[in-house]
Amino acid sequence: MAAWSCLVTGAGGFLGQKIISFLVEEKELQEIRALDKNITPDIREAFSKLQTKAKVTVLEGDILDAQCLRRACQGVSVVIHTAALIDVTGVNPRETIMDINFKGTQLLLEACVQASVPIFIHTSSVEVAGPNSYKEIIQNGQEEEPLECRWTEPYPYSKKLAEKAVLAANGCTLKDGGTLHTCALRPMYIYGEGSKLISPIVKRALTTNGVLEKTGPFSLVNPVYVGNVAWAHILACRGLRDPKKAPSIQGQFYFISDDTPPQSYDDLNDTLCKEWGLRRDSRPSPPLFLMYWLAFLLEAVSFLLSPIYTYRPPFTRHLLVLSNSAYTYSYKKAQRHLGYEPRFCWEEAKQKTTEWVGSLVKQHKGTLKSKAQ
């Protein structure tokens, strides 16, 4: 294959950094452009330490800055789009979430057309497929099934619209007369070292006598290790660059899971943290149906107060369903089309993540010790 270059958006994020760490292993890769709005000194240093023949160019820029995106895409062969605002609790305004996740994707697609970038790989979300109700059970869901999220909450809705835009763009004509080819990957709940979701749970537990908060006692999901999600992106990149494999991948979406055992979110947190003395909350959980209707009442109060006061409920019906449903998905289609096999087994993924949790615990103890002195 000819020399090529790759732009990764959201490069400083949990997944973006891992993708770049695998990209440096790719043959004939001349340049990796790492685009993110916030590149910290630690991330910049981590990129500079990568042992790679390819040049790693760090770009600070906003996904909503059309001119920045056009410059970043100039001369690029592949775009891997991981940049997104992940917010299922409504901390950010709806407009902000929609702009970053949907409008940002549209602007990036337009930049690819203008810069004649032939390959676009989009990091979507399992939430594009649901769950829609805590009573609904999805077991080993397949891409061929008519699974679609019906929630209008900004995060799942924005990701659904973004994925539709990416897949609809497949086959469109580029400025130089070439053709844009796209695909989308839908990872499950991603865990692993550096997780921005697990880290605050651990830190809060360290301030509450080591008790882990409940995040989904009634759930049954198949979490996926960040290294395996990153690996799936690399395989999608290889596949779309391969003339023989590309036709079956173009315009397709893929669920990305691995061999992590199906379990609840609370089981996963307990497994990753118990070695360090952190334990699950043993108090009984309120019935789910009761919490659901309480969430409905809180949302009604929020709506009624909206003209005069912004009230954000502590939880919503969508959040309850998302964190307490039974839904697992198969990666068989990715296996067939992309040649995807998890790069890391469950035991290895668990060990790496547990060691990282240990580093958070030790860091916390070190901070307490220095304060005491």
Side-chain angles (χ1 to χ4, degrees):
M1 292 184 181
W4 61 292
S5 56
C6 183
L7 168 68
V8 180
T9 70
F14 176 42
L15 176 60
Q17 289 187 63
K18 188 67 76 172
I19 289 173
I20 290 177
S21 73
F22 289 164
L23 269 175
V24 300
E25 303 169 0
E26 293 301 287
K27 295 177 181 178
E28 305 299 331
L29 181 59
Q30 288 188 321
E31 183 185 14
I32 301 169
R33 296 182 190 173
L35 176 67
D36 204 296
K37 189 175 181 179
N38 300 302
I39 299 286
T40 66
D42 287 348
I43 294 170
R44 195 177 290 272
E45 183 182 359
F47 287 154
S48 69
K49 287 181 178 178
L50 290 173
Q51 299 297 316
T52 173
K53 294 178 182 178
K55 177 185 178 185
V56 179
T57 305
V58 178
L59 304 173
E60 286 200 51
D62 196 321
I63 197 69
L64 295 174
D65 183 340
Q67 288 188 337
C68 166
L69 296 181
R70 287 196 196 99
R71 289 194 300 269
C73 288
Q74 207 64 45
V76 163
S77 317
V78 178
V79 164
I80 298 178
H81 178 41
T82 77
L85 179 54
I86 301 173
D87 181 358
V88 296
T89 59
V91 173
N92 296 279
R94 180 184 185 87
E95 185 179 2
T96 302
I97 299 171
M98 293 297 298
D99 278 352
I100 292 173
N101 294 350
F102 178 43
K103 185 179 177 182
T105 302
Q106 288 180 309
L107 289 172
L108 187 58
L109 285 167
E110 291 168 12
C112 286
V113 170
Q114 293 302 313
S116 298
V117 179
I119 294 173
F120 190 106
I121 298 163
H122 176 61
T123 308
S124 187
S125 167
V126 67
E127 283 198 57
V128 169
N132 293 305
S133 166
Y134 65 85
K135 297 177 182 177
E136 177 186 18
I137 296 175
I138 300 170
Q139 188 172 11
N140 288 321
Q142 309 278 341
E143 290 83 351
E144 295 75 21
E145 297 176 49
L147 301 168
E148 184 171 336
C149 177
R150 295 192 295 272
W151 293 99
T152 58
E153 268 63 23
Y155 179 69
Y157 188 59
S158 65
K159 292 299 285 185
K160 180 170 77 169
L161 292 181
E163 185 191 278
K164 285 180 181 292
V166 169
L167 300 183
N170 183 67
C172 76
T173 304
L174 302 174
K175 190 174 182 180
D176 68 356
T179 306
L180 176 64
H181 295 304
T182 69
C183 76
L185 306 184
R186 296 178 176 179
M188 307 300 106
Y189 169 80
I190 307 175
Y191 70 94
E193 59 276 22
S195 167
K196 297 296 190 294
L197 296 175
I198 296 176
S199 176
I201 293 171
V202 172
K203 290 177 180 178
R204 284 193 289 269
L206 291 169
T207 62
T208 54
N209 298 317
V211 178
L212 295 161
E213 64 192 49
K214 294 183 179 183
T215 56
F218 302 107
S219 58
L220 181 66
V221 295
N222 51 339
V224 59
Y225 179 60
V226 64
N228 290 327
V229 179
W231 182 234
H233 283 74
I234 301 301
L235 294 174
C237 179
R238 289 180 185 175
L240 284 174
R241 293 185 64 242
D242 185 333
K244 292 181 180 178
K245 292 182 179 179
S248 65
I249 301 170
Q250 295 161 3
Q252 299 292 311
F253 66 86
Y254 300 91
F255 290 121
I256 305 298
S257 54
D258 60 17
D259 299 326
T260 301
Q263 57 197 291
S264 71
Y265 294 112
D266 288 358
D267 286 340
L268 179 66
N269 292 337
D270 184 58
T271 298
L272 300 175
C273 299
K274 61 186 177 183
E275 182 179 324
W276 306 104
L278 306 181
R279 62 195 186 282
R280 70 171 72 206
D281 188 340
S282 59
R283 293 174 297 180
S285 300
L288 190 53
F289 77 90
L290 189 63
M291 296 298 291
Y292 187 86
W293 287 108
L294 177 58
F296 173 77
L297 291 174
L298 292 173
E299 289 175 52
V301 170
S302 176
F303 175 76
L304 293 172
L305 291 176
S306 60
I308 56 172
Y309 179 73
T310 301
Y311 167 65
R312 187 164 62 87
F315 55 91
T316 63
R317 286 171 295 165
H318 169 246
L319 184 58
L320 279 173
V321 168
L322 181 64
S323 55
N324 288 285
S325 295
Y327 58 107
T328 62
Y329 295 86
S330 166
Y331 62 78
K332 296 300 182 186
K333 182 179 174 182
Q335 194 175 42
R336 293 194 307 270
H337 291 191
L338 307 179
Y340 169 73
E341 294 288 349
R343 181 163 168 165
F344 301 89
C345 69
W346 160 236
E347 289 301 323
E348 189 176 359
K350 179 170 62 173
Q351 181 183 350
K352 286 177 176 289
T353 312
T354 300
E355 288 174 357
W356 167 72
V357 170
S359 72
L360 296 179
V361 174
K362 291 170 186 174
Q363 185 181 28
H364 176 76
K365 289 180 178 178
T367 302
L368 292 180
K369 189 175 181 180
S370 61
K371 285 181 178 179
Q373 292 173 346

